[in-house]
Amino acid sequence: MFSSIVKPRFLKPGERSTWEEDKSDIDPNYATSFVYNPHVSLSLEQQRERLPVFRNRNHILYLLEKFQTLVLVGETGCGKSTQVPQYLLEAGWGGDGKVIGITEPRRVAATSLATRVAEEKGCLLGQTVGYSIRFDDCFDPQQTKIKYMTEGILLREMMADPLLRSYCVIMLDEVHERTLYTDIVMGLLKKILRKQKNLKLVVASATVDAEQLYNFFNNNSSKDKSKDTAVIMSVEGRLYPVNIYYVKEPVPDYVKAVVETVIKIHEYEPLGDVLAFLTGQEEVDRAVKLLKEQEIENKDNLKLLVLPMYGSLPNAEQLKVFRSTPRGLRKVVIATNIAETSITISGIVYVIDCGFVKLRWFNPDAHTDSLVVVPISQASAEQRAGRAGRVRSGKAYRLYTEAEYDKLAEATPPEMQRTELSMAVLQLKALGIDNVLRFNFPSPPPARNLQSALELLFAIGAIDSDGQLTEPVGLTMAEFPMNPLYSKTLITSGEFGCSEEMLSIIALLQVQNVFTKPTGGQAAIKARVAKRKFEVEEGDLLTLLNVYTAYIKHNMAKDWCNKYFLNYKGLCRTHEIRTQMLRLLQRFNIPIISCEGNAEKVCKSITAGLFPNAAYLHYTGVYKTVRGDQELHIYPSSVLYTLEQPKWLLFCEVVHTDRVYMKDLTVVQPSWLEELAPHFYEKTIDRDYSH
């Protein structure tokens, strides 16, 4: 199957290039049965004491008593995410009804860490230890003392309690990922710490500019070091060394190269699980499918247990990667960068790094926020390699040359400086930050990005001409944990009499790839025919609505999904999200009404929220955005790709590959735009539609 590609050949600098490497670095005490963990026979308490962070327990507690902010630089594997909250609870923090809050950039990390800590504390998840993520809560306000959550959840809690009086300690974990919410939360916590002297802050990360954070949170303006309010502490991390291998020549297809590398590891390397990094769900699913087709066994009669790992995977499926590997199997986890730092999968000995990552990037000229596949940074490459050294000496295989590694950027730019900021600005406004241009961000965003966000929020009616949140639309939108365009669509759907349908559509947009895509052969043809049964000329969003409606009609049956080549896991996740969003609408007294199949009502409701994402068919034969005049093309997987080109479209997402594509499309009429957003479109329609 792979004879047509260049197989990756790895070279360790200064040593021979071979797959059958020396095995002298294997820990002789390494347990090879059932669980790949050197401490498998130890109790949980003994395992905790063997973590590197345990030796610094008293130092951490002392520094947190003396200083208000502790910048904790702990390398991968030191145990900071699971142990520090327990040390704080054991030392008496969390009394008087206070909570120890830990923020994570990803929901998978919050749920998996909470599960692990609950196990170590010997309690049921949701009692002493709980979590709160978007569309899912598992904690008891009366009992929970250690609460894991995503940064967005903490931000929304600040809206209800600006001084976070219910918390005694806040721990910001994985700060080096520098997500949009990380920077916002840090900027707000700096203000809160000045007012709330009893609140303590731990800023934890694996690779971070500690001096920058120290200077940011240190409120001591004098030269007297004894008055510092912040301090830095480093904790040693990885337990075992990791050998790095590079390819001799660049690989033409890194997805196939990942598959080929997994097979080689399975054939020649001793027992140990594999973690491979790819950029997105489509690539992960493709690699998983290719590996499952192999059904190979190695000389030790081991079979492969191949598992996907990405953010939109249902929780039950995500948790499978954390389970112990059964005897006779080698676990292979194919993951996005979600497994880079946010989570730790036990038993990983071999890491395969494709060298790329998918990031959001905002173009202020075109006013589009695009998903772009870009090379990773050196810091990310080190983080990925570090995953191989947790249980014994590991090996990291990089699908790029050593010369290319030297050309990589040192660190990934903070999300604050490269993404669309309307959601961030909306929530800052809800928190009382009137002048967002002067807000103290750790990494200030470009002024043009902020200006674009303010213009967008004004256009959709979230803020008025004075920059204040409107009532009730703006205030309600700030409470919705989603893109402001989607929240505006949901809020106004009651007025159009189609809130039931819009709930389903917005929930479906939170999940990637409802349709499965078999590669080649009769299966691909059957999948295309099956998809046509749901397609409608109004576009992709109403096609998705048809899928979900049929899914519910057929009692959410897995067999029915398989018959029509639908992603059963994705539809299950959609149903979970829709249920949570329904409660949100009910909380704000938005009427839950069905349009009973009236497609025009649904399309008008979509137009009311997504009108800033309009594109028109230019006389040259391409589409152009109304905002920014960017040239776009219909994505090949869209239902409109093979139909006659409609004159006006709304899109949900822009993707950069060989061209700039727009995804998730809806056909609209220019009269709807004139009716629902007259000031936004009158000049454009007069100027350009005449062609």
Side-chain angles (χ1 to χ4, degrees):
M1 178 173 284
F2 304 104
S3 58
S4 62
I5 70 167
V6 179
K7 295 182 180 180
R9 294 174 292 156
F10 292 91
L11 176 65
K12 183 181 179 184
E15 295 192 9
R16 66 188 185 280
S17 175
T18 176
W19 291 92
E20 187 73 21
E21 277 297 332
D22 66 289
K23 302 173 181 60
S24 58
D25 59 353
I26 298 176
D27 187 339
N29 298 319
Y30 174 64
T32 59
S33 63
F34 203 76
V35 182
Y36 303 136
N37 192 317
H39 315 313
V40 69
S41 61
L42 302 177
S43 67
L44 284 173
E45 192 60 35
Q46 289 173 318
Q47 289 183 43
R48 290 184 62 198
E49 291 177 2
R50 293 190 63 165
L51 288 169
V53 75
F54 180 75
R55 296 191 290 273
N56 299 277
R57 179 184 186 276
N58 292 335
H59 297 295
I60 292 170
L61 295 174
Y62 168 76
L63 291 174
L64 208 54
E65 288 282 354
K66 188 175 180 182
F67 297 91
Q68 193 172 16
T69 301
L70 169 62
V71 179
L72 184 63
V73 182
E75 292 183 15
T76 300
C78 71
K80 62 186 183 300
S81 302
T82 57
Q83 302 309 304
V84 171
Q86 294 185 69
Y87 298 159
L88 294 170
L89 185 62
E90 292 159 3
W93 296 89
D96 301 324
K98 301 282 188 179
V99 179
I100 299 163
I102 308 95
T103 69
E104 299 290 338
R106 305 176 190 276
R107 63 186 183 92
V108 180
T111 55
S112 61
L113 289 171
T115 303
R116 174 64 182 178
V117 174
E119 181 185 354
E120 292 183 4
K121 296 301 294 180
C123 68
L124 291 174
L125 184 62
Q127 294 181 351
T128 304
V129 183
Y131 68 83
S132 179
I133 60 176
R134 189 174 70 152
F135 304 129
D136 188 12
D137 289 331
C138 183
F139 70 95
D140 186 331
Q142 305 301 321
Q143 293 187 59
T144 300
K145 296 298 178 186
I146 297 176
K147 182 179 175 183
Y148 286 86
M149 65 193 115
T150 52
E151 295 150 338
I153 294 293
L154 181 64
L155 199 58
R156 281 190 286 281
E157 289 195 12
M158 288 179 183
M159 294 180 189
D161 181 11
L163 293 180
L164 296 175
R165 285 180 287 256
S166 60
Y167 291 92
C168 57
V169 182
I170 296 289
M171 179 175 174
L172 302 182
D173 200 15
E174 306 295 358
V175 168
H176 77 278
E177 288 203 17
R178 300 302 296 274
T179 66
L180 185 65
Y181 285 127
T182 300
D183 279 26
I184 295 173
V185 167
M186 285 198 291
L188 292 168
L189 280 172
K190 181 173 182 177
K191 289 177 170 288
I192 292 171
L193 291 173
R194 288 176 180 158
K195 299 283 187 181
Q196 188 77 306
K197 298 298 183 183
N198 294 327
L199 180 65
K200 301 289 185 175
L201 175 65
V202 180
V203 183
S205 180
T207 55
V208 72
D209 189 344
E211 286 292 336
Q212 180 188 359
L213 288 175
Y214 163 79
N215 293 328
F216 182 75
F217 284 107
N218 188 14
N219 292 324
N220 179 20
S221 56
S222 68
K223 294 182 179 180
D224 186 358
K225 289 289 184 182
S226 64
K227 295 181 180 179
D228 281 357
T229 61
V231 66
I232 300 172
M233 180 180 180
S234 295
V235 179
E236 64 178 8
R238 200 162 59 223
L239 300 176
Y240 301 96
V242 175
N243 289 331
I244 309 293
Y245 301 88
Y246 297 88
V247 292
K248 280 184 173 181
E249 300 170 358
V251 296
D253 184 339
Y254 58 77
V255 177
K256 288 185 177 180
V258 162
V259 173
E260 193 72 30
T261 307
V262 169
I263 294 171
K264 288 292 185 181
I265 290 173
H266 189 55
E267 289 177 348
Y268 296 111
E269 294 290 354
L271 202 59
D273 293 341
V274 182
L275 172 62
F277 288 96
L278 289 171
T279 67
Q281 178 183 337
E282 289 186 8
E283 292 179 357
V284 169
D285 288 339
R286 179 183 161 205
V288 168
K289 185 176 183 299
L290 288 172
L291 282 169
K292 285 184 176 179
E293 289 174 352
Q294 301 296 315
E295 294 185 357
I296 56 173
E297 291 187 16
N298 66 359
K299 57 189 176 183
D300 298 320
N301 296 321
L302 284 178
K303 292 184 178 180
L304 291 178
L305 173 63
V306 186
L307 299 171
M309 186 65 185
Y310 43 81
S312 59
L313 203 64
N315 284 346
E317 297 297 320
Q318 290 174 347
L319 294 176
K320 286 182 179 179
V321 304
F322 302 106
R323 294 174 185 166
S324 303
T325 308
R327 189 188 299 274
L329 295 176
R330 185 201 295 270
K331 182 165 64 181
V332 177
V333 180
I334 311 295
T336 61
N337 63 327
I338 193 173
E340 189 175 298
T341 56
S342 298
I343 59 174
T344 297
I345 304 168
S346 63
I348 299 299
V349 177
Y350 308 102
V351 165
I352 304 168
D353 178 8
C354 74
F356 291 92
V357 66
K358 190 177 285 185
L359 297 177
R360 288 206 168 272
W361 218 279
F362 181 67
N363 182 345
D365 295 322
H367 300 280
T368 54
D369 199 16
S370 310
L371 276 173
V372 186
V373 176
V374 297
I376 60 172
S377 64
Q378 291 184 1
S380 291
E382 292 304 315
Q383 279 295 311
R384 292 181 176 187
R387 295 284 139 182
R390 303 299 299 271
V391 296
R392 66 171 173 90
S393 298
K395 296 179 181 180
Y397 299 92
R398 291 175 174 168
L399 300 176
Y400 44 94
T401 63
E402 190 173 8
E404 287 301 316
Y405 172 80
D406 294 333
K407 296 176 184 177
L408 296 176
E410 289 187 8
T412 306
E415 192 176 7
M416 177 65 70
Q417 297 181 339
R418 56 179 171 81
T419 59
E420 202 275 326
L421 299 174
S422 59
M423 185 65 182
V425 172
L426 183 65
Q427 296 199 318
L428 285 173
K429 290 283 185 184
L431 287 162
I433 310 297
D434 291 329
N435 192 345
V436 292
L437 294 173
R438 295 191 179 276
F439 182 70
N440 194 353
F441 293 104
S443 299
R448 290 181 66 194
N449 290 19
L450 282 172
Q451 180 185 348
S452 176
L454 289 167
E455 290 173 353
L456 177 63
L457 292 174
F458 177 71
I460 62 177
I463 59 175
D464 58 24
S465 56
D466 296 324
Q468 303 299 314
L469 283 181
T470 56
E471 293 188 33
V473 175
L475 290 172
T476 306
M477 285 174 62
E479 294 284 342
F480 279 64
M482 63 187 71
N483 185 309
L485 299 186
Y486 295 162
S487 58
K488 173 66 182 297
T489 304
L490 265 183
I491 291 167
T492 57
S493 63
E495 301 172 14
F496 291 91
C498 59
S499 49
E500 285 274 9
E501 287 75 15
M502 287 313 307
L503 273 171
S504 302
I505 290 173
I506 301 300
L508 285 158
L509 289 173
Q510 310 303 309
V511 178
Q512 298 179 29
N513 299 336
V514 170
F515 296 98
T516 60
K517 297 177 182 177
T519 53
Q522 287 296 315
I525 297 172
K526 289 180 180 178
R528 181 68 189 128
V529 171
K531 185 180 178 183
R532 285 191 180 276
K533 296 181 184 297
F534 303 101
E535 291 180 354
V536 289
E537 63 181 5
E538 286 85 358
D540 300 306
L541 297 193
L542 269 72
T543 298
L544 290 175
L545 177 61
N546 286 343
V547 170
Y548 184 78
T549 303
Y551 170 68
I552 297 298
K553 182 180 178 181
H554 289 85
N555 300 316
M556 302 187 288
K558 186 174 183 179
D559 290 341
W560 179 83
C561 291
N562 293 336
K563 178 182 177 181
Y564 288 96
F565 296 89
L566 299 173
N567 182 354
Y568 175 70
K569 298 172 185 175
L571 287 170
C572 288
R573 178 63 182 156
T574 297
H575 187 67
E576 293 173 10
I577 293 172
R578 189 186 187 282
T579 303
Q580 295 289 334
M581 285 167 42
L582 176 61
R583 294 174 190 160
L584 203 56
L585 288 188
Q586 290 170 339
R587 199 177 93 196
F588 290 102
N589 298 317
I590 295 171
I592 310 301
I593 311 170
S594 172
C595 66
E596 304 297 340
N598 188 327
E600 183 172 320
K601 285 186 177 181
V602 178
C603 290
K604 278 193 170 184
S605 180
I606 293 169
T607 305
L610 293 179
F611 65 81
N613 287 355
Y616 62 95
L617 183 60
H618 197 256
Y619 66 89
T620 57
V622 300
Y623 283 93
K624 289 195 174 184
T625 57
V626 173
R627 292 196 307 156
D629 210 35
Q630 184 183 16
E631 196 172 289
L632 297 174
H633 301 270
I634 295 175
Y635 198 68
S637 65
S638 170
V639 303
L640 301 176
Y641 187 72
T642 56
L643 301 180
E644 182 181 348
Q645 290 181 301
K647 294 180 178 178
W648 282 84
L649 293 171
L650 297 179
F651 60 87
C652 293
E653 187 177 45
V654 173
V655 177
H656 283 257
T657 53
D658 55 329
R659 287 177 166 185
V660 184
Y661 290 105
M662 47 185 174
K663 293 182 69 175
D664 301 322
L665 308 176
T666 303
V667 178
V668 296
Q669 299 298 325
S671 58
W672 300 347
L673 297 171
E674 292 176 321
E675 174 191 346
L676 299 169
H679 301 298
F680 200 73
Y681 283 104
E682 56 187 7
K683 292 181 181 178
T684 303
I685 292 174
D686 289 344
R687 186 182 71 247
D688 295 311
Y689 192 58
S690 58
H691 294 296

